[in-house]
Amino acid sequence: MNHVFLCGNPALDFACTVRARRTAYVEMLNAPDRLDAWFVESGVVDVVSSCGEADLVQAVALREAIYGLVTSRLAGDGYDDQALALVNETACEPPATPQLTATGRWVEATPAQVLSTLARHAIELLSGPEMPLMKECANPECTKLFIDRSRGGRREWCGMESCGNKIKAAAYRARKKEAQTAGAR
């Protein structure tokens, strides 16, 4: 698997295909084949027809619109009209349709159908009961968004393997250094 899916919703995972937006901007969808891979690895579809450059441009525009709407909602700001229009227009297109086969669920789709499905996930998330559970990672270098379904609702990081361990290790080193400095006086 080349992509990470820890946000708790396909629309959030899609919005987070850019890493470290504020610091070292890393684009994960930098070619049509990377978009193909993300669509399949995300589990939204089992097979997608090959994406072209135009599909990639549409996908990035939708991703940025979803990210903008989510961060606006988290900040308590109003929605950007263009982002709202793009998500709504994309959701109006036919979505990916699951089929039941002898071996289980199967979804085969075009890139436009996958984008419609992702836009619908974003709409459901932003207007549904999980909206209050949405957070941004507490690591100042990370810009991942996630749904906090932890029992106490106290999850701070997008994931322990990535940001949580880094922050905890840095805090430990800082405490240890402070104790050594205090002991040397």
Side-chain angles (χ1 to χ4, degrees):
M1 205 180 254
N2 296 317
H3 300 281
V4 177
F5 303 94
L6 46 76
C7 299
N9 181 288
L12 290 181
D13 285 321
F14 188 60
C16 293
T17 55
V18 168
R19 296 198 180 134
R21 286 176 181 267
R22 290 187 284 272
T23 55
Y25 195 94
V26 178
E27 174 66 70
M28 302 306 295
L29 304 178
N30 53 10
D33 64 328
R34 296 289 293 158
L35 181 59
D36 290 339
W38 190 93
F39 285 161
V40 173
E41 290 174 18
S42 71
V44 174
V45 295
D46 297 295
V47 174
V48 64
S49 54
S50 291
C51 294
E53 287 295 331
D55 298 315
L56 182 59
V57 169
Q58 283 182 300
V60 168
L62 178 63
R63 178 196 63 203
E64 294 306 308
I66 292 170
Y67 185 83
L69 293 175
V70 170
T71 54
S72 290
R73 182 72 188 261
L74 287 174
D77 299 335
Y79 291 137
D80 175 77
D81 290 338
Q82 289 180 319
L84 196 59
L86 179 59
V87 169
N88 287 328
E89 287 168 17
T90 305
C92 286
E93 297 299 318
T97 306
Q99 302 292 310
L100 185 60
T101 68
T103 58
R105 176 183 174 269
W106 182 258
V107 182
E108 195 168 331
T110 65
Q113 290 172 315
V114 181
L115 293 176
S116 175
T117 301
L118 291 169
R120 290 165 186 241
H121 277 291
I123 290 168
E124 291 300 318
L125 177 63
L126 288 165
S127 64
E130 290 192 308
M131 180 55 224
L133 305 177
M134 218 168 7
K135 294 180 177 178
E136 185 175 32
C137 183
N139 179 350
E141 294 178 14
C142 183
T143 54
K144 280 199 172 63
L145 307 161
F146 62 91
I147 298 173
D148 180 4
R149 293 187 183 106
S150 65
R151 186 188 309 185
R154 296 183 302 208
R155 181 175 161 195
E156 296 180 56
W157 304 287
C158 59
M160 280 306 294
E161 301 78 29
S162 53
C163 293
N165 283 339
K166 287 178 191 172
I167 298 294
K168 285 185 169 194
Y172 171 77
R173 286 190 302 272
R175 284 192 309 272
K176 191 172 179 180
K177 184 177 181 179
E178 184 177 310
Q180 288 172 344
T181 305
R185 290 181 201 171

